[in-house]
Amino acid sequence: MSENDNLQNADGKKEVESTDTTPTQQAEIKTEAKSETEGNDVDNNNVEAEVKQDSETESTDNEPKSSTEAEEAATENASKTDAAKDNHVDEIEASNAEDAEDESNAERHEVEEKDYHAMSMDELNAEISRLLKNHKIQTISKHVNEIKSEFNAKFSELLEEKKEEFIDDGGNEIDFYYTNDAKKQFNAHYKEYKQTINAYYKEREQNLKQNLDNRLQIIEDIKGLLSVEENMGTTYKTFKELQEKWRNAGPIPRDKYNNAWNTYHHHVERFYDFLHLNNDLRDMDFKHNYDQKLKIIERAEELAEDENTNRSFRELQVLHKLWKEELGPVGKEHREAIWERFSNATKAIHDKRQAYFADMDKAHEKNLERKEEIIAKITAIGEDKATSHSAWQKKIKEIEALRDAFFKAGKVPLKVNESTWAKFKNAVRTFNRGKNSFYKNLKKDQYDNLKKKKELIQIAEDNKDSDDFATVTPLMKKIQSDWKKIGHVPRRDSDKIWKQFKSACNHYFDKMHAERKAKDQHLYEAFDKKVKLLDGLKALELSEDPKADIKTLQDKIAEWKDIGYVPQNKRYIDGKFYKAIDDKFDKLKMDKSKLEMIKFESKLENLADPEDTRLLDNEQNFIRKRISDIKSEINQLENNLQFFSNVKSDNPLVKDVHKNIDNHKKELDTWKAKLTKVRGMYN
């Protein structure tokens, strides 16, 4: 059995992350994978036909096979049939085939799930903007569509309210039109999303096609080596160059992945058979591949003992990829045994992982029962129509408690996740519609509320010119608090009375603040000085002498601190100043690590407060966490090097790992220096 023959039948679309896949869902994935394989286009069929044709040609061109060789061929064919039944290998191959189409998938990019239903339209706008700025465009489609659904639902409710107002004010329904800034902003965000995702898929499709063409050409070039008339050393060198080109050819469509690799390995093995004229070259490669595959097997067997099933599965994926993509064939006498051993280790990990998912499914089923109970309670509350404001307020609190319980109940089986979430949203939305309908019809209560608010307006206007701040200020704060508690008034009066009340309150507090400002004039004078200093800093032109420029910037910082405090509501200017300082430091032509420390020291000057060390405490905790994270990353990279113990030091993969380790160590030194500086600030 050829190890490469076993690695097949795995090209299928995998819909979910491996950590959330249940046995049932894996069966569904396999069914889908089969349907996709059967639906491959002509190019795929041509690749398969080519393998068959070249195999027949090889049998014709070479000497007739002996009975022993025929038995070996029959055994190998039987092994291929058995390989199709190796579910534990299929699962690994499905994940690697998916990664083959988009190399960025190798780092699983997770996007946090949020309760979009609980967000306002402005919050939804902020969330879609955050997703567009901070996440890969191909990972946020589900989230963007959920945000779009919630935004449209909320805007539709607002649209109905505005339409009702328009008609109540005597407007004709046919003339009604309404939009707002939130809607315009959302449309702009969604347009940006559509343009970006379309461009991404268009570019990816072109790249995948070009990479596939390049790989197919490499296969043709390897086939052509069998007919080249030159010395074996030159042919072998050309072959190794083609192998290197293959490794760097980039991602290809997932439905072409396995066929392309199998065709490639087929012709690689044909080339090694062709090397029987120079067994030394072939045997040297066979021995290297055999030694490396033994190391992979030993690591897989170690992983089979690891209790962290998700971690062992992810590393097993890497091992399979190394086995298939980085290493070539071994001698025929070893192929059956080493693949059988590797397959057994893979199966052990697969079985342990399936047992883990089975236990997880049981826990998820219990979570599902709990969530269905919560949904039933929300539905019952929504169906029980209350007749008073207090009753509705009680219901609102109950719903909020049930919402919190729902989100704390944990994950449910993946196959019912979306339907459960939809039932929950519908139950909450039904309750909200009943609540909104009740308050829309509270005309009498609204007119009572209007009367109460007009009384507060009168109190505000009677006291707005008072100079007795000690007595009137608590009164004005109280009526502002009372205003918030009164509740709704008729919509046509809402803006008018609010403007009246706000105008009277603002008049009083502006007068009070003006008097206080006169007492705190020195703080406002300090603010004016800082504004001028900030403007001067922005206009400052740096010299070509870094030391002189650093001295200049440090003098600016000292001058800023000497000015002193500004009014509480003006302290935002400190943030603007230190941002401008950082911008100037970034323009200095000097070592980045030294520059980073100088900037950090200026930041610490702003954090230092002998009476309150909370800001320094927070900074110290952050730095310690960063140091710990970097150490973990260095350890992981150094562990990865163990897989390349016999690989030459100029191998691109090895060089890249060493480069990453060096960069992380430099970064670690910088963070350690920062921690020392922070500790020194306490003294």
Side-chain angles (χ1 to χ4, degrees):
M1 178 187 296
S2 166
E3 62 273 17
N4 294 320
D5 291 336
N6 279 274
L7 299 175
Q8 51 187 300
N9 298 331
D11 46 333
K13 184 177 181 182
K14 190 170 183 182
E15 297 290 346
V16 295
E17 294 288 351
S18 61
T19 55
D20 293 333
T21 311
T22 64
T24 303
Q25 292 156 353
Q26 290 166 4
E28 294 171 352
I29 292 171
K30 292 181 184 303
T31 301
E32 183 175 351
K34 180 180 179 183
S35 65
E36 284 195 22
T37 304
E38 291 171 350
N40 285 345
D41 57 21
V42 176
D43 291 339
N44 237 8
N45 294 331
N46 286 343
V47 172
E48 293 177 333
E50 185 179 48
V51 175
K52 180 178 179 182
Q53 180 181 3
D54 286 331
S55 298
E56 293 171 351
T57 303
E58 184 178 18
S59 300
T60 302
D61 294 342
N62 295 333
E63 295 179 3
K65 294 183 178 179
S66 65
S67 59
T68 303
E69 290 175 325
E71 289 174 1
E72 290 177 350
T75 302
E76 189 170 64
N77 289 333
S79 299
K80 292 180 180 179
T81 303
D82 292 339
K85 301 176 183 178
D86 288 343
N87 294 338
H88 54 288
V89 176
D90 286 349
E91 184 177 13
I92 295 288
E93 284 297 288
S95 296
N96 285 340
E98 180 181 8
D99 291 345
E101 185 172 77
D102 185 353
E103 291 179 334
S104 65
N105 283 344
E107 298 179 3
R108 299 297 183 186
H109 190 96
E110 297 182 359
V111 183
E112 180 186 1
E113 295 281 354
K114 293 188 177 182
D115 179 11
Y116 299 125
H117 181 66
M119 295 183 181
S120 66
M121 287 190 289
D122 288 337
E123 289 170 335
L124 291 171
N125 264 322
E127 182 61 19
I128 192 174
S129 176
R130 185 189 68 82
L131 291 173
L132 289 170
K133 290 178 181 177
N134 300 325
H135 293 279
K136 299 176 182 178
I137 195 68
Q138 68 271 30
T139 66
I140 63 174
S141 296
K142 172 189 172 185
H143 301 268
V144 170
N145 289 332
E146 287 184 8
I147 291 173
K148 178 185 177 184
S149 176
E150 289 297 343
F151 186 94
N152 288 341
K154 287 177 170 59
F155 186 73
S156 295
E157 291 180 9
L158 177 62
L159 202 62
E160 291 176 8
E161 293 178 5
K162 294 296 182 182
K163 185 176 182 180
E164 182 181 331
E165 286 181 24
F166 180 77
I167 295 174
D168 288 345
D169 291 339
N172 191 326
E173 181 176 353
I174 197 172
D175 297 324
F176 174 73
Y177 173 79
Y178 175 78
T179 189
N180 61 11
D181 291 339
K183 177 63 173 172
K184 294 175 183 176
Q185 186 179 8
F186 181 81
N187 289 345
H189 286 319
Y190 192 72
K191 181 179 180 181
E192 178 186 350
Y193 162 74
K194 294 298 290 184
Q195 291 175 339
T196 307
I197 193 69
N198 289 339
Y200 164 78
Y201 281 118
K202 182 177 180 181
E203 180 181 4
R204 192 183 73 164
E205 182 180 0
Q206 293 173 347
N207 290 339
L208 294 177
K209 184 179 183 302
Q210 183 59 53
N211 293 341
L212 178 61
D213 291 342
N214 293 342
R215 288 186 183 273
L216 295 179
Q217 183 57 51
I218 292 171
I219 292 172
E220 290 298 319
D221 293 342
I222 291 176
K223 289 167 58 179
L225 293 178
L226 302 183
S227 59
V228 173
E229 296 182 0
E230 58 185 5
N231 71 71
M232 191 58 62
T234 302
T235 303
Y236 182 74
K237 180 181 178 182
T238 303
F239 170 70
K240 300 303 288 185
E241 290 173 351
L242 290 172
Q243 281 190 309
E244 185 64 23
K245 285 177 63 177
W246 177 271
R247 293 189 186 100
N248 299 315
I252 62 176
R254 74 180 70 177
D255 60 342
K256 304 293 192 296
Y257 174 76
N258 281 300
N259 285 328
W261 272 99
N262 291 337
T263 305
Y264 168 73
H265 282 296
H266 167 74
H267 290 293
V268 167
E269 289 187 0
R270 287 191 68 205
F271 179 80
Y272 278 111
D273 291 339
F274 174 70
L275 280 183
H276 68 276
L277 299 176
N278 192 331
N279 288 332
D280 290 342
L281 290 175
R282 182 184 64 176
D283 293 345
M284 182 173 61
D285 262 10
F286 279 178
K287 183 179 185 307
H288 168 76
N289 295 337
Y290 179 74
D291 292 341
Q292 294 304 311
K293 287 188 174 183
L294 283 181
K295 290 184 179 181
I296 289 177
I297 291 171
E298 290 168 359
R299 180 54 184 162
E301 290 171 343
E302 290 176 6
L303 292 175
E305 304 299 323
D306 192 340
E307 295 303 319
N308 189 325
T309 57
N310 289 330
R311 180 176 60 201
S312 59
F313 180 79
R314 286 193 297 270
E315 189 170 340
L316 184 64
Q317 284 181 262
V318 176
L319 295 180
H320 271 265
K321 196 167 185 179
L322 288 173
W323 183 288
K324 181 172 186 176
E325 299 182 12
E326 296 295 326
L327 300 173
V330 301
K332 289 184 178 180
E333 70 275 14
H334 298 301
R335 291 178 189 176
E336 174 83 20
I338 66 168
W339 173 251
E340 189 69 24
R341 187 176 165 189
F342 189 35
S343 178
N344 288 339
T346 299
K347 187 175 187 304
I349 297 173
H350 175 272
D351 291 346
K352 184 180 290 188
R353 189 163 178 264
Q354 294 310 304
Y356 166 79
F357 283 133
D359 292 340
M360 184 181 293
D361 284 342
K362 292 178 182 178
H364 288 174
E365 288 291 345
K366 292 182 179 179
N367 295 342
L368 176 61
E369 293 177 7
R370 174 62 181 145
K371 287 194 171 185
E372 287 179 340
E373 291 174 1
I374 294 171
I375 293 171
K377 291 179 180 179
I378 294 174
T379 302
I381 293 174
E383 292 174 350
D384 179 21
K385 304 301 181 184
T387 57
S388 67
H389 170 72
S390 60
W392 275 104
Q393 290 301 307
K394 181 180 178 182
K395 284 175 173 288
I396 291 172
K397 292 179 180 179
E398 291 175 353
I399 292 296
E400 287 301 319
L402 289 171
R403 281 169 57 85
D404 290 341
F406 182 88
F407 290 117
K408 293 177 181 177
K411 293 184 178 181
V412 300
L414 191 63
K415 60 186 178 183
V416 297
N417 182 54
E418 290 189 7
S419 60
T420 304
W421 175 241
K423 286 192 290 185
F424 169 73
K425 288 196 296 182
N426 289 336
V428 173
R429 187 173 286 124
T430 299
F431 168 80
N432 286 336
R433 286 172 181 166
K435 177 194 67 175
N436 295 337
S437 176
F438 170 80
Y439 282 108
K440 287 178 182 179
N441 295 324
L442 287 182
K443 297 296 184 182
K444 183 178 181 301
D445 286 349
Q446 289 179 353
Y447 281 113
D448 289 342
N449 293 339
L450 178 61
K451 180 180 178 182
K452 294 175 183 178
K453 288 192 173 183
K454 284 184 176 180
E455 291 172 354
L456 296 182
I457 291 172
Q458 188 62 50
I459 295 173
E461 290 183 340
D462 289 345
N463 291 277
K464 67 179 183 179
D465 293 315
S466 175
D467 294 325
D468 186 3
F469 300 122
T471 302
V472 176
T473 298
L475 174 64
M476 297 296 279
K477 290 183 177 179
K478 181 180 184 304
I479 64 175
Q480 286 181 325
S481 177
D482 291 344
W483 181 280
K484 296 177 182 178
K485 296 175 183 177
I486 290 175
H488 296 290
V489 299
R491 193 173 289 111
R492 63 176 176 269
D493 297 305
S494 179
D495 289 344
K496 178 182 176 182
I497 63 171
W498 167 244
K499 289 178 181 177
Q500 285 180 268
F501 183 69
K502 181 181 177 182
S503 176
C505 291
N506 286 349
H507 179 85
Y508 170 78
F509 284 110
D510 287 345
K511 182 179 179 181
M512 181 190 73
H513 291 151
E515 186 165 317
R516 288 182 178 175
K517 182 177 180 180
K519 293 180 181 178
D520 298 334
Q521 186 59 36
H522 65 287
L523 296 179
Y524 288 92
E525 290 175 356
F527 175 73
D528 292 338
K529 291 179 182 179
K530 286 193 172 184
V531 170
K532 292 181 181 179
L533 180 56
L534 177 59
D535 291 339
L537 175 64
K538 291 180 178 178
L540 177 66
E541 294 290 339
L542 298 176
S543 68
E544 296 297 323
D545 184 353
K547 291 185 178 179
D549 289 334
I550 291 173
K551 179 66 168 57
T552 299
L553 295 176
Q554 289 175 334
D555 290 343
K556 292 290 184 183
I557 295 173
E559 183 180 355
W560 184 271
K561 295 186 69 176
D562 289 342
I563 292 175
Y565 292 105
V566 299
Q568 180 73 27
N569 63 342
K570 303 290 185 181
R571 291 188 179 178
Y572 62 84
I573 197 171
D574 288 332
K576 291 187 175 182
F577 173 77
Y578 283 102
K579 183 181 183 305
I581 284 288
D582 284 346
D583 291 341
K584 294 297 182 183
F585 273 124
D586 288 339
K587 295 179 181 178
L588 296 179
K589 297 179 180 179
M590 60 182 298
D591 182 77
K592 295 300 181 182
S593 60
K594 293 181 180 179
L595 181 60
E596 179 69 19
M597 290 304 301
I598 293 173
K599 289 171 60 178
F600 183 69
E601 289 171 359
S602 70
K603 175 183 178 182
L604 288 184
E605 291 291 333
N606 189 37
L607 297 178
D609 187 340
E611 298 180 0
D612 187 355
T613 63
R614 285 179 297 178
L615 292 177
L616 279 177
D617 293 341
N618 292 339
E619 187 69 20
Q620 183 173 207
N621 291 335
F622 172 77
I623 293 174
R624 285 176 173 171
K625 174 69 166 55
R626 190 73 189 103
I627 288 174
S628 176
D629 291 343
I630 295 174
K631 286 181 177 179
S632 297
E633 292 170 3
I634 292 174
N635 289 337
Q636 183 61 50
L637 289 170
E638 290 176 341
N639 289 338
N640 290 345
L641 282 176
Q642 297 177 8
F643 298 120
F644 304 101
S645 57
N646 289 336
V647 179
K648 293 182 180 179
S649 60
D650 60 351
N651 183 286
L653 291 175
V654 175
K655 291 171 67 177
D656 188 52
V657 174
H658 279 295
K659 182 178 179 181
N660 283 339
I661 291 175
D662 291 340
N663 290 339
H664 279 75
K665 287 183 177 179
K666 291 179 182 178
E667 187 180 0
L668 181 61
D669 291 339
T670 300
W671 283 103
K672 286 182 177 178
K674 288 183 178 181
L675 182 60
T676 301
K677 291 288 185 182
V678 172
R679 288 172 174 168
M681 294 301 293
Y682 287 94
N683 299 325

